[in-house]
C-alpha cells in the first residue's frame, strides 16, 4: 500500500510539473524612437561588445521588419508594437488626431490629474483612446492579474500606450515641473521609490531632457529603478517592463541622421544598454528574461544631404496647401475653413459645417483631390472612403487602409514623392522627420534575445504587428484582441 501511495505521489508531482507553463520571469520591450534599421550596422564597428552588439550576437535578428501602415509616427508605432495591430483597429491614428470633431493628442485625458508634480497638465494622460488590448493586458488576464506591468519613457505616449489599459503604472517626463510623473488613472500618489528617484535626479523646471544623451541614461536608470521598486522579475509570475528611448527621436528631428549629435546619442545608448543588460543578468538572472529591441519608425536622411549627393529631395508646403484649399472651397461653397487641418498627410474636413450647410461632401473631396494631385511634391492622393477603388500600387493601398480609421483618420490621405518631407525647409536645415511608407521610415530593427531564444537570423518579411503575436505565442497567452500579426518562427 505504501508503494502504491508513493507511486501515485510521484506521478502526481510529474503531472503537476508538466502542467506548469514555462515562462520567463520578465519580458522587457526596448523601443528606440526613430531608430533606422541600418543604425545596427552603420555604427556597428563602434559599438562595444556588451551592449547592442551583445543583443545582436545572442539574439534572433529579423532583418526585414517593416511597418505595414501609414503614417509612420511615434504614437502609432508604440501602440502597434504592443497591440500587434494597426490604426484601423486601435484608433491611434497619429500623435494628434480628431475625435468627435475635436483635436486631441493620442493620450490626452482631461478627466485625470497629474500625480507627482504640484502643478501643470503634464500628467493629464491615459490610454483611454486606445481601442485595443496590449501584450501587458493579455498577460494580466492570463495570470489572474498577478503580473506587474510598467511603462517608462520621456514621452507620455511612449510610456502609456505600450503599458496598456491594465498597467500598474506608466511614468513619463513632465518638462514643466522637471520631474517624472504619472496620472490619477494609475494611482493617487507616486510610490516611494519613484519619489526617491526624482529626488536623486533633480532637474530644473522646463529643463528639456528629450534632445540630450542625458535623456537616454535617465530613461534606463528609471527602468532599473522600476525593476527594484516594483520587484519586477523577482518571483514566478511573469512581469513586463516597456521601455522607450525618446531622445534619439528628438535628436534626429533636430540634427538629422548623420553627424556628431546622432553618433553621440547612439554611442550613449550602446553604453547604457550594456549596463542595463548587466543589471538584468544580476537582478533577474541571465536566461530568466526575454528582451526585444525594435523601433516605432525610422527617419529620412536630411533632404539637403540627399540633394548634395544628387538624390531626390523636396518638401511639401502643407501650410500653403491648407490656405489654398480653404480659399478655393470658400469661393465655391461659402463657409470658412472647410478644411480643418492637415496632420501627418491626413486631411480633415469640417464635417459638422458641411452637414449644417447641406453641402455635398463627395463634391468637396473631389475638388480637394484636384488641387492635391497638381502639387509636384505629391505622388498620390486618395479619398479615405474609397481607398480600395484608388488607382495606386497594392502595397500603398494596404498601408493606407491599415492606417485609416473612419472615425479618427481624416477624410483624405496624401502620399509624397520619395525623399520629400511634409513641409518646406530652408538652406540651413539640419534635421529630418518621418511618416512615409518608404523604407527609410518603415524599415525598423527587430531582435529577440534571452529566454527561449537561440541566436539566428531571418531575412523573410516580418512586420511590426508580428512582435506582439510572437511574444504572446512564446508566453502561451492570448494575443491582443485586435492583433493581426503572425508569430515569427525563430527555429
Amino acid at each position: 500500500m505504501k508503494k502504491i501511495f508513493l507511486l501515485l505521489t510521484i506521478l502526481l508531482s510529474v503531472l503537476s510539473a508538466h502542467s506548469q507553463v514555462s515562462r520567463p520571469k520578465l519580458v522587457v520591450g526596448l523601443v528606440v524612437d526613430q531608430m533606422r534599421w541600418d543604425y545596427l550596422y552603420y555604427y556597428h564597428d563602434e559599438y562595444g561588445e556588451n551592449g547592442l552588439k551583445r543583443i545582436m550576437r545572442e539574439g534572433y535578428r529579423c532583418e526585414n521588419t517593416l511597418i505595414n501602415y501609414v503614417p509612420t509616427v511615434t504614437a502609432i508605432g508604440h501602440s502597434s508594437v504592443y497591440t500587434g495591430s494597426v490604426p484601423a483597429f486601435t484608433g491611434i491614428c497619429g500623435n494628434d488626431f480628431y475625435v468627435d470633431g475635436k483635436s486631441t493628442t493620442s493620450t490626452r485625458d482631461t478627466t485625470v490629474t497629474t500625480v507627482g508634480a504640484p502643478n501643470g497638465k503634464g500628467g493629464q494622460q491615459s490610454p483611454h483612446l486606445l481601442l485595443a488590448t496590449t501584450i501587458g493586458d493579455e498577460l494580466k488576464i492570463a495570470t489572474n492579474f498577478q503580473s506587474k506591468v510598467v511603462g517608462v519613457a520621456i514621452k507620455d505616449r511612449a510610456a502609456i500606450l505600450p503599458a496598456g489599459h491594465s498597467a500598474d503604472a506608466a511614468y513619463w517626463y513632465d518638462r514643466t515641473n522637471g520631474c517624472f510623473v504619472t496620472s490619477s488613472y494609475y494611482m493617487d500618489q507616486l510610490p516611494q521609490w519613484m519619489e526617491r528617484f526624482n529626488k536623486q535626479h533633480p532637474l530644473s523646471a522646463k529643463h528639456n531632457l528629450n534632445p540630450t544623451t542625458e535623456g537616454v541614461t535617465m530613461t534606463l536608470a528609471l527602468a532599473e529603478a522600476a525593476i527594484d521598486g516594483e520587484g519586477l522579475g523577482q518571483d514566478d509570475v511573469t512581469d513586463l517592463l516597456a521601455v522607450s528611448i525618446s531622445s534619439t527621436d528628438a535628436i534626429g528631428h533636430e540634427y538629422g541622421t548623420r553627424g556628431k549629435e546622432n553618433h553621440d546619442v547612439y554611442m550613449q545608448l550602446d553604453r547604457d544598454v550594456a549596463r542595463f543588460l548587466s543589471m538584468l543578468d544580476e537582478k533577474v538572472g541571465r536566461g530568466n528574461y526575454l528582451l526585444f529591441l525594435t523601433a516605432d519608425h525610422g527617419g529620412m536622411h536630411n533632404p539637403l544631404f540627399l540633394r548634395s549627393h544628387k538624390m531626390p529631395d523636396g518638401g511639401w508646403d502643407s501650410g500653403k496647401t491648407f490656405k489654398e484649399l480653404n480659399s478655393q472651397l470658400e469661393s465655391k461653397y461659402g463657409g470658412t475653413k472647410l478644411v480643418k487641418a492637415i496632420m501627418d498627410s491626413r486631411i480633415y474636413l469640417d464635417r459638422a459645417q458641411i452637414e449644417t450647410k447641406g453641402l455635398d461632401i463627395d463634391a468637396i473631396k473631389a475638388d480637394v483631390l484636384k488641387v492635391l494631385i497638381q502639387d509636384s511634391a505629391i505622388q498620390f492622393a486618395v479619398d479615405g472612403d474609397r481607398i480600395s477603388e484608388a488607382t495606386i500600387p497594392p502595397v500603398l493601398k494596404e498601408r493606407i487602409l491599415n492606417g485609416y480609421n473612419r472615425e479618427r483618420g481624416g477624410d483624405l490621405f496624401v502620399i509624397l514623392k520619395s525623399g520629400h518631407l511634409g513641409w518646406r525647409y530652408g538652406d540651413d536645415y539640419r534635421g529630418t522627420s518621418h511618416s512615409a511608407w518608404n523604407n527609410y521610415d518603415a524599415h525598423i530593427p527587430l531582435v529577440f534575445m534571452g529566454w527561449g531564444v537561440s541566436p539566428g537570423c531571418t531575412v523573410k518579411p516580418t512586420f511590426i504587428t508580428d512582435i506582439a503575436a510572437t511574444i504572446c505565442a512564446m508566453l502561451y497567452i492570448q494575443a491582443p484582441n485586435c492583433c493581426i500579426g503572425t508569430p515569427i518562427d525563430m527555429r
Side-chain angles (χ1 to χ4, degrees):
M1 192 71 180
K2 289 183 178 179
K3 289 183 179 180
I4 294 174
F5 179 76
L6 179 61
L7 286 171
L8 286 172
T9 302
I10 293 172
L11 180 61
L12 287 171
S13 66
V14 169
L15 289 173
S16 176
H18 280 289
S19 67
Q20 293 177 354
V21 177
S22 176
R23 293 181 180 132
K25 289 187 175 183
L26 179 65
V27 176
V28 179
L30 182 57
V31 178
V32 182
D33 204 319
Q34 204 186 125
M35 185 178 187
R36 292 167 53 104
W37 163 80
D38 56 2
Y39 287 162
L40 287 176
Y41 299 97
Y42 183 72
Y43 295 121
H44 181 272
D45 293 348
E46 296 185 71
Y47 292 144
E49 293 300 319
N50 299 315
L52 295 174
K53 270 188 183 179
R54 176 184 166 188
I55 294 176
M56 296 171 68
R57 184 174 63 249
E58 297 181 10
Y60 189 90
R61 309 188 314 278
C62 302
E63 301 285 22
N64 192 19
T65 301
L66 299 171
I67 294 174
N68 52 348
Y69 56 77
V70 285
T72 48
V73 296
T74 296
I76 307 179
H78 281 83
S79 59
S80 292
V81 166
Y82 285 88
T83 64
S85 195
V86 293
F89 298 112
T90 67
I92 303 300
C93 298
N95 298 328
D96 306 276
F97 46 88
Y98 279 81
V99 177
D100 298 328
K102 297 180 180 179
S103 64
T104 182
T105 68
S106 58
T107 56
R108 183 185 300 157
D109 187 351
T110 57
T111 69
V112 300
T113 57
T114 303
V115 174
N119 56 64
K121 299 180 180 180
Q124 289 191 301
Q125 314 286 339
S126 84
H128 76 292
L129 292 174
L130 179 63
L131 304 179
T133 61
T134 63
I135 299 170
D137 292 328
E138 298 298 333
L139 181 61
K140 285 273 192 180
I141 294 172
T143 62
N144 293 319
F145 295 87
Q146 296 179 70
S147 294
K148 290 185 177 181
V149 176
V150 177
V152 298
I154 291 177
K155 292 181 180 179
D156 45 27
R157 56 187 177 270
I160 293 168
L161 297 173
H165 301 277
S166 296
D168 296 271
Y171 301 102
W172 58 93
Y173 183 65
D174 179 4
R175 181 179 173 185
T176 300
N177 292 283
C179 61
F180 283 88
V181 300
T182 188
S183 82
S184 58
Y185 176 90
Y186 303 100
M187 62 191 73
D188 295 327
Q189 65 180 59
L190 290 181
Q192 290 185 351
W193 70 263
M194 189 68 241
E195 291 181 347
R196 187 165 56 249
F197 181 87
N198 278 330
K199 289 178 181 178
Q200 291 172 345
H201 300 83
L203 296 169
S204 60
K206 299 185 179 180
H207 175 69
N208 192 358
L209 184 62
N210 204 355
T212 65
T213 57
E214 176 192 15
V216 177
T217 304
M218 190 79 77
T219 302
L220 287 169
L222 177 57
E224 180 175 357
I227 288 174
D228 289 337
E230 298 292 342
L232 302 180
Q234 300 305 306
D235 55 31
D236 293 330
V237 181
T238 303
D239 299 320
L240 185 146
L241 176 62
V243 184
S244 180
I245 305 299
S246 305
S247 297
T248 43
D249 181 68
I251 287 173
H253 277 296
E254 190 165 346
Y255 301 107
T257 61
R258 292 292 184 264
K260 182 180 186 302
E261 295 83 1
N262 198 68
H263 169 273
D264 288 353
V265 76
Y266 278 92
M267 294 303 103
Q268 187 65 51
L269 173 67
D270 181 55
R271 290 189 292 269
D272 290 336
V273 165
R275 283 191 287 269
F276 185 66
L277 294 177
S278 178
M279 178 275 299
L280 289 174
D281 291 343
E282 178 184 348
K283 295 183 178 180
V284 182
R286 194 166 185 148
N288 288 331
Y289 60 89
L290 169 61
L291 179 145
F292 66 87
L293 167 72
T294 190
D296 54 346
H297 55 75
M300 192 183 91
H301 291 308
N302 175 274
L304 298 177
F305 167 84
L306 294 174
R307 184 186 304 173
S308 69
H309 293 282
K310 302 179 181 179
M311 299 181 194
D313 82 284
W316 175 40
D317 193 339
S318 56
K320 179 181 178 182
T321 300
F322 177 77
K323 293 178 182 178
E324 181 180 350
L325 285 171
N326 276 315
S327 176
Q328 292 192 22
L329 293 176
E330 182 176 354
S331 176
K332 184 172 182 177
Y333 298 99
T336 304
K337 290 189 176 179
L338 291 178
V339 175
K340 290 181 69 172
I342 299 177
M343 297 178 173
D344 296 323
S345 299
R346 290 168 288 122
I347 298 175
Y348 291 85
L349 299 178
D350 189 339
R351 285 178 170 263
Q353 185 181 176
I354 291 170
E355 184 177 348
T356 299
K357 292 182 177 296
L359 302 176
D360 185 342
I361 191 169
D362 290 329
I364 292 173
K365 285 182 179 180
D367 287 337
V368 170
L369 287 172
K370 288 178 183 178
V371 174
L372 294 174
I373 61 176
Q374 292 173 8
D375 194 307
S376 61
I378 294 175
Q379 193 158 27
F380 300 104
V382 298
D383 178 347
D385 291 328
R386 292 180 171 83
I387 299 169
S388 60
E389 304 169 17
T391 308
I392 57 176
V395 64
L396 291 182
K397 188 173 294 187
E398 179 184 8
R399 295 188 190 190
I400 296 172
L401 279 167
N402 283 343
Y404 176 68
N405 183 282
R406 181 178 55 83
E407 296 177 333
R408 303 177 179 183
D411 297 284
L412 303 104
F413 195 88
V414 166
I415 296 291
L416 300 181
K417 292 180 179 178
S418 61
H420 283 59
L421 291 178
W423 63 78
R424 296 299 299 174
Y425 46 85
D427 291 337
D428 58 348
Y429 179 58
R430 290 190 59 195
T432 191
S433 193
H434 51 84
S435 73
W437 71 274
N438 308 75
N439 278 350
Y440 44 74
D441 286 351
H443 188 188
I444 56 174
L446 176 58
V447 189
F448 298 90
M449 171 198 157
W451 180 90
V453 178
S454 298
C457 173
T458 182
V459 294
K460 292 180 180 179
T462 53
F463 299 96
I464 191 171
T465 47
D466 295 337
I467 298 171
T470 302
I471 294 295
C472 290
M474 295 179 72
L475 299 182
Y476 292 98
I477 64 175
Q478 185 66 273
N481 61 11
C482 292
C483 180
I484 65 169
T486 302
I488 299 166
D489 186 351
M490 293 188 282
R491 291 173 296 179

